[in-house]
Amino acid sequence: MKDQPQPAITTGALPASSKLYIPGTLHDIRVPMRRIELGGSEPALTVYDSSGPYTDPDADIDIACGLPAMRGDWQRMRGDAVAYAGRAVILADNGFATGERLTPAFPRALKPSRATPGANGTGAITQLAYARAGIVTPEMEFAAIRENEGRVTAAARDGEGFGAMIPDLVTPEFVRAEIAAGRAIIPANINHRELEPMVIGRNFLVKINANIGNSAVTSSMEEEVDKMVWAIRWGADTVMDLSTGRNIHNIRDWIIRNSPVPIGTVPLYQALEKVGGIAEDLTWQIFRDTLVEQAEQGVDYFTIHAGVRLHMIPMTARRVTGIVSRGGSIMAKWCLHHHRESFLYERFDEICDIMRAYDVSFSLGDGLRPGSIADANDQAQFAELETLGELTKIAWAKDCQVMIEGPGHVPMHKIKANMDKQLEHCHEAPFYTLGPLTTDIAPGYDHITSAIGAAMIGWFGTAMLCYVTPKEHLGLPDRNDVKTGVITYKLAAHAANLAKGHPGAQRRDDALSRARFDFRWEDQFNLGLDPDTARAMHDETMPKEAHKLAHFCSMCGPKFCSMRISHDIRAEAEKQQGMDRMAELFREGGALYIPRE
Amino acid sequence: MKDQPQPAITTGALPASSKLYIPGTLHDIRVPMRRIELGGSEPALTVYDSSGPYTDPDADIDIACGLPAMRGDWQRMRGDAVAYAGRAVILADNGFATGERLTPAFPRALKPSRATPGANGTGAITQLAYARAGIVTPEMEFAAIRENEGRVTAAARDGEGFGAMIPDLVTPEFVRAEIAAGRAIIPANINHRELEPMVIGRNFLVKINANIGNSAVTSSMEEEVDKMVWAIRWGADTVMDLSTGRNIHNIRDWIIRNSPVPIGTVPLYQALEKVGGIAEDLTWQIFRDTLVEQAEQGVDYFTIHAGVRLHMIPMTARRVTGIVSRGGSIMAKWCLHHHRESFLYERFDEICDIMRAYDVSFSLGDGLRPGSIADANDQAQFAELETLGELTKIAWAKDCQVMIEGPGHVPMHKIKANMDKQLEHCHEAPFYTLGPLTTDIAPGYDHITSAIGAAMIGWFGTAMLCYVTPKEHLGLPDRNDVKTGVITYKLAAHAANLAKGHPGAQRRDDALSRARFDFRWEDQFNLGLDPDTARAMHDETMPKEAHKLAHFCSMCGPKFCSMRISHDIRAEAEKQQGMDRMAELFREGGALYIPRE
């Protein structure tokens, strides 16, 4: 193990939290949850846990070994995949880095698996194929249990779901049915054996994705593995590795082997590196080889910009910001140069064949998404969306799982049309949007301009929200930016869950509000999405331990604390005759509280 | 001047910005604007400027002298007010602080003015009284010119206004008519002669308020004056001084004399200090005296919690977080203890008489606003809102200007009902909301949980958004928190303006997006709401001057910069046959781009 890079990653439980594992009933699985211990007479609260073994004090973490390959057995039991030698790593995979400049390979070489020829009749070993065959997989049960966050009974709910049909409790069969209908996906490459499966769909909790990845300009493997662990600690449900430049094959290996969440990539980025950054030099052969390379490593979903078609490119001519998707611009350049449809579009069938042999999910990229308020909801954007709908049908016919990427930059009054058109054109395949940013005028604060749009579109039905960090448009996010982006998007997703009427979502709000009203400061911190920051802010002005018991904070001080006064009011009312009784009297129209006019 | 405290306040222009003064046509006024110089062939952009003389390099700033008393002449010309000796400051006004503990009085003692008895028939010298009499005041023309942000022609617009009727250009007469209809207010105490008037109403730009103020626990006068200047530098349209504890009379004097924006207060806070913090000991006499004290100083609007009525208090009995408005909880405690309606409600007529003699606007407080998701839109909240509507009519009958305060904590699907009910019950008086926060689970990030709700309710019709800082629920905001809160709310208000279809709002987005597409980095920073932060974030990874000319940033690096590639695409297309021509061909259904199916 010596000489291997050993990134310092953050492990250990979150404050007042312990790991709880709920066993499956259909399958031999244990589903991780986070249990937050509370003070007073409050029961502990169980919440969704994306953080993986890193927050389990009993877990033995060694990133040079990777996480336990839990799903290996599941796949073996299905018996429809076969291990094989796999593609040999070539110099181009790591951008021709050698010697000191080469990030070391992950120490444990793993033999990849793929579908046995003609598996399940079509060669598909996807969750969609199983779902259609009526099979409830361990992945489905795992994801189902997670969704209930430890609840075993229905919870009070209200909300406006805009057609979402969220059950009181999610069953494995419900997950299966949603996947079979194309309304949900479980991104779960069979070669990502370390994965803790999760489900993305409109009738489940709204998920968030965090982008990490080095760029040619800055950052290293150590930083990227750390960012992944850091992102999931704060709640990222999936992570996209958008690395470019050198060493991306090896960095990706390190990330996947240590990731309990689905990893997404844009294979085009690596393909472009292999041709020295010259878009026109891209070929189907190089792209195809890259798909296989990454599928063998265990990437769970690929962004494929197959919706960018030649005739759409002139539609961007009068745009204020042109084409702002990296993948979209690369393919547009290729199309225009060669004056033909892209190999992504022309070879879409063959791409499906690769994807279904490993169960890599499609994330159909929105290469023509708007990059400014001015360009929102324009002809190019919606033309591509319609094409994505057509491609969805082709992928589904091949038993491939599909989600659809969405914008971008959209003012509030144009957001709902995005969701409505996506549902219509893409047949209810899950929507996965980047924000959208609701104004262009706040560089440095685009996590917030976009959280507004993200919360709204999540409410309207978007299944997963791709985070935006404060560094958007300015530079590569660092560790702090990643955390800020994740927490911001967790709160946006949660606001969406509340508004959709997701059963149980309000439990955490209520627990925190009760803690607030009871001056249980530690509980307020611990129930928050970021206990460390909340505690630090409180301690800035009231650092002493005794202050954690104070019935006020420095915001209003003791005399002006409305919550303290509210308690006085209740005590006074009880003394007088019982506040509930007073309320009854009022409701009955009793004489006591007849309004004086 | 020696021995006077001299807070270090921030002066000087914002980057690439200069001050522009637009003269009135009806009145002898000069209305400040900020002009942002841009590179390339871009014309300079003129934007709204709330920052006062502090950003004018030609202004002579001495906070011990205060700002120029511009409005003194305007009031003298109206001839309906009279200067008088004013109430003597007593020890209780400063919380009995003496000696070293006493904040020095503002050096220049000013004689207050009030309406001459029977002025304008009723004793009202309010903008509402003038508006109803058909008089276009200098205040109205000043506010009208500001709204147009230097535009002299209509601008392209789209949006959904939910009944707002925003004109292409705001005229002084339009401002007058909106005020006369009660749909807008100009908070402008005649004793705040330093004020640069602004208008608050649904048919104008959405405004934001920043709260400052010391608490019994921490902070000083120096800090509070600095916070005010700092808040308006970043865009606060009004500032509320919510100081409690000692020295609040003197601190307020310093703030008002140096404030170009309307100052709001909650007089109840000072009244409570005068009775040693014992709510039950409050009396009408003490409260009344406090109103006069603050009106003489020049406070522009008072939050008055007159809607909290005795019979409503039991409605809060089953709430998760009781009563969370400081003022609301104080009055509820008083009502319950004395078992009678509050003096605010019983003496509302007399309060109106004081307010209209100085033109202090009402901000009718929402003492029963919800403090948690669980309590949103409940019986107590809406019962109070109906009472606020009744009080609005009484105040209007007395020629008083009125706005209505709103929540608070509301999940997204319950926000619109708040706006709709407010419009209905309060007869279109301007709505002024605190957020609302769309979830309770993110202490430390409540500027963001609330920016989501603020942007939405601003879109729906709220006229002014009261900011929330990251410290909400945790402690007293410091300078950094104030800035974060202001910028966050500026972007939320702007997102609302865009969605409402406010003419001209998109100019700044478009200018910034063009700068982005053209790699004019300096322009991107300077057009943003916070140029300093944007620049600092960019410089973290690309600090050199040459990088400011780079056609990429560290986020994607040079090969993957979609904007750079978009330029390549346009160049390629031009070379081929002109991209516009290609677009034409496509639109004409020309053969060239027939989709290949």
Side-chain angles (χ1 to χ4, degrees):
Chain A
M1 283 309 308
K2 61 185 157 55
D3 297 325
Q4 296 298 347
Q6 288 290 343
I9 55 167
T10 306
T11 58
L14 287 163
S17 298
S18 57
K19 209 88 176 179
L20 175 72
Y21 292 94
I22 299 181
T25 53
L26 305 175
H27 298 283
D28 182 20
I29 56 176
R30 27 200 310 270
V31 180
M33 300 278 163
R34 175 177 161 214
R35 187 181 148 94
I36 308 173
E37 297 297 333
L38 301 172
S41 54
E42 281 280 325
L45 186 73
T46 301
V47 298
Y48 199 102
D49 186 0
S50 64
S51 63
Y54 301 99
T55 50
D56 186 345
D58 298 332
D60 195 14
I61 302 294
D62 179 351
I63 71 154
C65 291
L67 298 177
M70 177 174 73
R71 287 181 65 227
D73 289 339
W74 307 355
Q75 194 56 48
R76 268 191 296 280
M77 286 168 66
R78 287 196 276 257
D80 52 8
V82 59
Y84 67 108
R87 176 185 168 284
V89 177
I90 58 173
L91 273 174
D93 300 349
N94 283 303
F96 303 96
T98 53
E100 296 246 312
R101 306 186 78 165
L102 178 67
T103 297
F106 184 77
R108 249 173 359 112
L110 292 169
K111 245 184 156 176
S113 291
R114 66 182 167 204
T116 50
N120 306 309
T122 61
I125 53 168
T126 64
Q127 296 292 320
L128 177 54
Y130 303 135
R132 284 172 166 173
I135 298 166
V136 174
T137 62
E139 286 84 354
M140 294 172 197
E141 186 181 24
F142 198 103
I145 290 171
R146 294 186 100 162
E147 290 288 318
N148 296 324
E149 299 188 284
R151 282 185 305 118
V152 291
T153 54
R157 57 197 289 190
D158 68 13
E160 164 56 57
F162 299 105
M165 303 285 284
I166 306 167
D168 282 338
L169 285 169
V170 173
T171 61
E173 166 57 23
F174 182 77
V175 173
R176 186 206 61 75
E178 288 291 296
I179 292 172
R183 277 195 298 268
I185 66 171
I186 293 182
N189 184 323
I190 60 164
N191 291 316
H192 189 185
R193 303 179 183 95
E194 304 83 356
L195 181 73
E196 297 176 351
M198 49 76 74
V199 62
I200 299 169
R202 182 160 63 121
N203 293 323
F204 302 99
L205 291 162
V206 176
K207 304 302 188 297
I208 70 161
N209 172 71
N211 292 333
I212 61 169
N214 69 341
S215 82
V217 178
T218 182
S219 91
S220 69
M221 179 279 273
E222 286 86 349
E223 288 172 63
E224 298 314 316
V225 173
D226 173 56
K227 272 187 204 166
M228 180 274 291
V229 174
W230 188 239
I232 64 175
R233 181 177 183 85
W234 300 112
D237 294 290
T238 79
V239 167
M240 290 194 79
D241 173 16
L242 303 184
S243 291
T244 57
R246 290 202 175 81
N247 290 311
I248 54 183
H249 180 96
N250 286 358
I251 291 176
R252 191 165 49 232
D253 237 7
W254 281 89
I255 292 172
I256 296 172
R257 298 286 76 81
N258 285 288
S259 174
V261 304
I263 298 295
T265 62
V266 185
L268 191 62
Y269 295 175
Q270 189 177 16
L272 187 68
E273 293 289 357
K274 292 177 181 176
V275 295
I278 313 295
E280 304 87 292
D281 291 354
L282 282 165
T283 63
W284 163 241
Q285 288 67 29
I286 286 168
F287 185 76
R288 188 193 181 286
D289 185 54
T290 306
L291 291 184
V292 172
E293 171 190 352
Q294 298 198 9
E296 289 180 352
Q297 286 184 295
V299 174
D300 300 288
Y301 63 90
F302 288 156
T303 295
I304 303 284
H305 295 93
V308 178
R309 296 194 52 196
L310 183 57
H311 71 273
M312 298 171 188
I313 300 166
M315 296 179 193
T316 67
R318 293 200 179 84
R319 275 185 163 183
V320 171
T321 45
I323 299 175
V324 297
S325 151
R326 297 193 226 174
S329 65
I330 293 163
M331 289 320 301
K333 194 173 182 190
W334 190 97
C335 290
L336 204 58
H337 182 85
H338 295 283
H339 217 275
R340 62 181 293 180
E341 296 293 354
S342 80
F343 49 82
L344 301 178
Y345 184 77
E346 293 191 337
R347 305 284 188 154
F348 193 72
D349 263 7
E350 290 168 73
I351 295 173
C352 292
D353 290 338
I354 296 168
M355 308 277 274
R356 67 180 176 176
Y358 301 88
D359 199 7
V360 182
S361 296
F362 276 102
S363 185
L364 289 175
D366 55 337
L368 301 182
R369 69 170 173 267
S372 56
I373 293 298
D375 296 342
N377 292 21
D378 73 353
Q379 186 193 20
Q381 182 194 335
F382 287 140
E384 183 189 34
L385 185 65
E386 288 182 38
T387 301
L388 298 184
E390 293 162 20
L391 296 171
T392 298
K393 283 194 169 170
I394 296 171
W396 282 350
K398 294 262 189 180
D399 281 342
C400 289
Q401 301 192 87
V402 180
M403 61 181 170
I404 310 289
E405 296 185 7
H409 293 237
V410 185
M412 283 190 286
H413 65 293
K414 291 185 177 172
I415 291 176
K416 184 126 195 317
N418 278 272
M419 189 70 232
D420 293 344
K421 281 183 194 288
Q422 193 273 345
L423 287 172
E424 179 194 342
H425 295 311
C426 299
H427 326 292
E428 299 194 79
F431 204 21
Y432 167 32
T433 62
L434 178 71
L437 286 72
T438 53
T439 167
D440 303 332
I441 69 165
Y445 299 79
D446 278 333
H447 57 309
I448 307 179
T449 63
S450 68
I452 295 167
M456 290 174 70
I457 206 163
W459 175 24
F460 300 150
T462 290
M464 186 156 79
L465 307 170
C466 182
Y467 86 172
V468 171
T469 78
K471 287 274 175 62
E472 185 75 14
H473 299 116
L474 296 169
L476 199 68
D478 63 17
R479 205 167 183 269
N480 288 335
D481 299 316
V482 166
K483 180 174 174 182
T484 300
V486 169
I487 301 280
T488 300
Y489 270 66
K490 285 306 275 187
L491 72 85
H494 186 80
N497 289 332
L498 285 175
K500 281 173 85 173
H502 200 100
Q506 202 181 309
R507 292 176 316 146
R508 191 166 178 175
D509 296 79
D510 292 351
L512 198 146
S513 294
R514 284 192 299 270
R516 195 165 267 161
F517 194 65
D518 291 348
F519 299 101
R520 285 181 276 115
W521 287 99
E522 292 291 345
D523 289 354
Q524 287 181 63
F525 306 150
N526 297 336
L527 283 162
L529 292 177
D530 180 358
D532 301 345
T533 296
R535 188 186 316 269
M537 285 187 176
H538 177 267
D539 287 0
E540 264 181 49
T541 42
M542 296 182 65
K544 294 179 194 158
E545 268 316 296
H547 292 153
K548 303 292 192 311
L549 304 171
H551 280 203
F552 60 92
C553 73
S554 68
M555 188 166 178
C556 305
K559 273 189 291 202
F560 288 88
C561 178
S562 61
M563 299 239 179
R564 195 186 63 78
I565 299 171
S566 282
H567 284 281
D568 293 348
I569 290 169
R570 289 190 182 179
E572 173 79 22
E574 289 303 322
K575 205 170 64 188
Q576 287 186 13
Q577 54 184 289
M579 197 147 172
D580 277 357
R581 176 70 190 134
M582 286 164 77
E584 289 301 326
L585 282 172
F586 174 68
R587 269 193 291 277
E588 289 159 13
L592 191 58
Y593 290 104
I594 287 176
R596 167 186 176 285
E597 289 299 347
Chain B
M1 282 310 307
K2 62 182 157 56
D3 296 326
Q4 295 298 348
Q6 289 290 345
I9 55 168
T10 307
T11 58
L14 286 164
S17 298
S18 57
K19 209 89 178 179
L20 174 74
Y21 293 94
I22 299 182
T25 52
L26 305 175
H27 298 282
D28 181 19
I29 55 177
R30 16 190 332 261
V31 181
M33 302 278 164
R34 174 177 160 214
R35 189 181 147 93
I36 308 174
E37 297 298 332
L38 301 173
S41 54
E42 281 281 324
L45 186 74
T46 301
V47 298
Y48 199 102
D49 186 0
S50 63
S51 63
Y54 300 99
T55 49
D56 185 345
D58 298 332
D60 195 14
I61 301 294
D62 178 350
I63 72 155
C65 291
L67 297 178
M70 175 176 74
R71 287 181 66 227
D73 288 340
W74 306 355
Q75 195 57 49
R76 266 189 298 281
M77 284 167 66
R78 287 197 276 257
D80 51 8
V82 59
Y84 67 108
R87 177 187 167 282
V89 176
I90 58 174
L91 273 174
D93 299 350
N94 282 303
F96 304 97
T98 52
E100 296 245 313
R101 307 186 74 164
L102 179 67
T103 298
F106 184 77
R108 247 172 1 113
L110 293 169
K111 246 183 155 175
S113 291
R114 67 183 167 204
T116 50
N120 305 310
T122 62
I125 53 167
T126 64
Q127 296 293 320
L128 177 54
Y130 303 136
R132 283 172 165 172
I135 299 166
V136 174
T137 63
E139 286 84 353
M140 295 173 198
E141 187 181 25
F142 198 103
I145 291 171
R146 294 188 101 163
E147 290 290 317
N148 296 325
E149 300 187 284
R151 281 185 306 118
V152 291
T153 54
R157 56 196 290 189
D158 68 12
E160 164 56 58
F162 299 105
M165 302 286 283
I166 306 167
D168 282 337
L169 286 168
V170 173
T171 61
E173 167 56 23
F174 182 77
V175 173
R176 185 206 62 75
E178 287 292 296
I179 292 173
R183 278 195 298 268
I185 67 171
I186 293 182
N189 185 324
I190 59 165
N191 291 316
H192 189 184
R193 303 178 184 94
E194 304 82 357
L195 180 73
E196 296 175 352
M198 49 76 73
V199 61
I200 299 169
R202 183 160 63 120
N203 294 323
F204 301 98
L205 290 163
V206 177
K207 305 302 189 297
I208 71 160
N209 171 70
N211 293 332
I212 62 168
N214 68 342
S215 82
V217 178
T218 181
S219 89
S220 69
M221 178 280 270
E222 285 86 349
E223 287 172 65
E224 298 314 315
V225 173
D226 173 56
K227 272 188 205 166
M228 180 275 290
V229 174
W230 187 239
I232 64 176
R233 181 175 182 85
W234 300 113
D237 294 290
T238 79
V239 167
M240 289 194 78
D241 172 16
L242 303 184
S243 291
T244 57
R246 291 201 174 81
N247 290 312
I248 53 182
H249 179 97
N250 286 358
I251 290 176
R252 190 165 50 234
D253 237 8
W254 281 89
I255 291 172
I256 296 171
R257 298 287 75 79
N258 286 288
S259 175
V261 304
I263 297 295
T265 63
V266 186
L268 192 62
Y269 295 174
Q270 188 177 17
L272 186 69
E273 293 289 355
K274 292 177 181 176
V275 295
I278 313 295
E280 304 87 291
D281 291 354
L282 282 165
T283 63
W284 163 242
Q285 287 68 29
I286 286 168
F287 185 77
R288 187 191 182 289
D289 185 54
T290 305
L291 292 184
V292 172
E293 172 189 352
Q294 298 198 11
E296 289 180 350
Q297 287 183 293
V299 173
D300 299 288
Y301 62 91
F302 287 158
T303 294
I304 303 283
H305 295 93
V308 178
R309 296 193 52 196
L310 184 58
H311 71 275
M312 296 171 189
I313 300 168
M315 296 178 192
T316 67
R318 292 201 179 84
R319 276 185 162 183
V320 170
T321 45
I323 299 174
V324 297
S325 150
R326 296 194 228 175
S329 65
I330 293 163
M331 289 321 300
K333 193 173 183 190
W334 190 97
C335 289
L336 204 60
H337 182 86
H338 295 284
H339 216 273
R340 62 181 293 180
E341 296 293 353
S342 79
F343 50 81
L344 301 178
Y345 184 78
E346 293 191 337
R347 306 285 188 152
F348 194 73
D349 263 7
E350 291 168 73
I351 295 173
C352 291
D353 290 339
I354 297 167
M355 308 276 273
R356 67 179 175 176
Y358 301 89
D359 199 7
V360 182
S361 296
F362 276 103
S363 185
L364 288 174
D366 55 337
L368 301 181
R369 69 170 173 266
S372 54
I373 293 298
D375 296 342
N377 292 22
D378 74 353
Q379 185 194 23
Q381 182 195 336
F382 287 140
E384 183 189 34
L385 185 65
E386 288 183 37
T387 301
L388 298 184
E390 293 162 20
L391 295 171
T392 299
K393 284 194 168 171
I394 295 170
W396 280 350
K398 293 262 189 178
D399 280 341
C400 290
Q401 300 192 89
V402 180
M403 62 180 169
I404 310 288
E405 296 185 8
H409 293 238
V410 184
M412 282 191 286
H413 65 293
K414 292 184 177 173
I415 291 176
K416 185 127 197 313
N418 277 273
M419 190 70 231
D420 293 344
K421 281 182 194 288
Q422 193 272 345
L423 287 172
E424 179 193 342
H425 295 311
C426 299
H427 326 291
E428 300 194 78
F431 204 22
Y432 167 32
T433 62
L434 178 70
L437 285 71
T438 53
T439 167
D440 302 333
I441 70 165
Y445 298 79
D446 279 332
H447 58 308
I448 307 177
T449 64
S450 68
I452 295 167
M456 290 175 70
I457 206 163
W459 175 25
F460 300 149
T462 289
M464 185 157 77
L465 307 170
C466 182
Y467 87 171
V468 171
T469 78
K471 287 276 175 62
E472 184 75 15
H473 299 117
L474 295 169
L476 199 68
D478 63 18
R479 205 167 183 270
N480 288 335
D481 299 316
V482 166
K483 180 175 174 183
T484 301
V486 169
I487 301 281
T488 300
Y489 271 66
K490 284 306 276 187
L491 72 85
H494 187 80
N497 290 331
L498 285 176
K500 282 172 84 172
H502 200 100
Q506 202 182 310
R507 292 176 315 147
R508 190 165 177 175
D509 296 80
D510 292 350
L512 198 144
S513 294
R514 284 192 298 270
R516 194 164 269 159
F517 195 64
D518 291 347
F519 299 101
R520 285 181 275 114
W521 287 99
E522 291 291 347
D523 288 354
Q524 287 182 61
F525 306 149
N526 297 337
L527 283 163
L529 292 177
D530 181 358
D532 301 345
T533 296
R535 188 185 318 269
M537 285 187 176
H538 177 268
D539 287 0
E540 266 181 48
T541 43
M542 297 183 64
K544 295 180 193 158
E545 267 317 297
H547 291 153
K548 302 292 192 312
L549 304 171
H551 280 203
F552 60 91
C553 73
S554 68
M555 189 167 178
C556 305
K559 272 188 292 200
F560 288 89
C561 179
S562 62
M563 299 236 180
R564 195 186 61 78
I565 298 171
S566 282
H567 284 281
D568 292 348
I569 290 170
R570 290 190 182 180
E572 172 76 22
E574 289 304 322
K575 205 171 60 187
Q576 287 186 14
Q577 53 184 290
M579 196 148 172
D580 277 357
R581 176 69 189 135
M582 286 163 77
E584 289 302 327
L585 283 173
F586 175 68
R587 269 192 291 277
E588 289 159 12
L592 189 59
Y593 290 104
I594 285 177
R596 166 189 176 283
E597 289 299 347

